[in-house]
Amino acid sequence: MADPGSYVLVIAVESPTTIEVGALGDREFTAGGYAYVGSAFGPGGLSRVDRHRRVASDDHDTRHWHIDYLLGADSIRLATVETYPNEDIECALATAFADAGCVPVAAFGASDCDCNSHLWGGDDPSTIQRIARSTRWE
């Protein structure tokens, strides 16, 4: 069993696209980098990240969470993942992306907390990754 923790999926949107995101409806995504912040404190812990990888590579078709709709789209690539084992910092990560000037995708992935989003858009995936890597709590 994998450790529990929080994570950031660094996503590259190769070209502008509109995706139907479950109950959120159609959402427009500009080309660039995005950060999805999540937590995995249930059964399986951070092995949830492996599920996200399978969705992104078309090896898993079930769409359960908002992020599944984005990762399953043709013009989307999962660039990398940052993990934070045993740290419950999902909302703090969302705040860090907001503080870095990233743009929220309203209500995306944040239906179970007070954050306005858990998906943040930025200039490019390398910038998103740099923000994620610099956000550490010791």
Side-chain angles (χ1 to χ4, degrees):
M1 179 169 157
D3 289 333
S6 301
Y7 59 91
V8 175
L9 304 179
V10 179
I11 300 163
V13 176
E14 305 290 339
S15 59
T17 187
T18 300
I19 300 168
E20 184 178 346
V21 181
L24 291 179
D26 287 347
R27 295 295 169 112
E28 293 182 18
F29 296 90
T30 59
Y34 288 80
Y36 175 78
V37 298
S39 63
F41 284 89
L46 286 170
S47 65
R48 176 177 295 179
V49 170
D50 294 331
R51 181 189 182 282
H52 293 315
R53 286 187 173 113
R54 289 193 310 275
V55 170
S57 65
D58 288 332
D59 291 333
H60 190 82
D61 292 331
T62 302
R63 305 295 186 251
H64 180 72
W65 295 294
H66 293 153
I67 191 62
D68 293 338
Y69 295 91
L70 181 61
L71 291 174
D74 290 337
S75 62
I76 307 303
R77 178 177 55 85
L78 180 58
T80 192
V81 177
E82 297 293 326
T83 60
Y84 309 82
N86 299 308
E87 295 188 64
D88 189 4
I89 56 172
E90 180 181 28
C91 296
L93 286 164
T95 300
F97 284 103
D99 291 347
C102 295
V103 178
V105 177
F108 195 106
S111 58
D112 60 349
C113 71
D114 292 332
C115 296
N116 66 351
S117 184
H118 280 188
L119 181 68
W120 298 84
D123 295 330
D124 58 69
S126 61
T127 300
I128 295 296
Q129 185 175 13
R130 181 184 49 75
I131 295 166
R133 285 187 174 169
S134 67
T135 305
R136 297 285 179 192
W137 287 263
E138 302 300 331

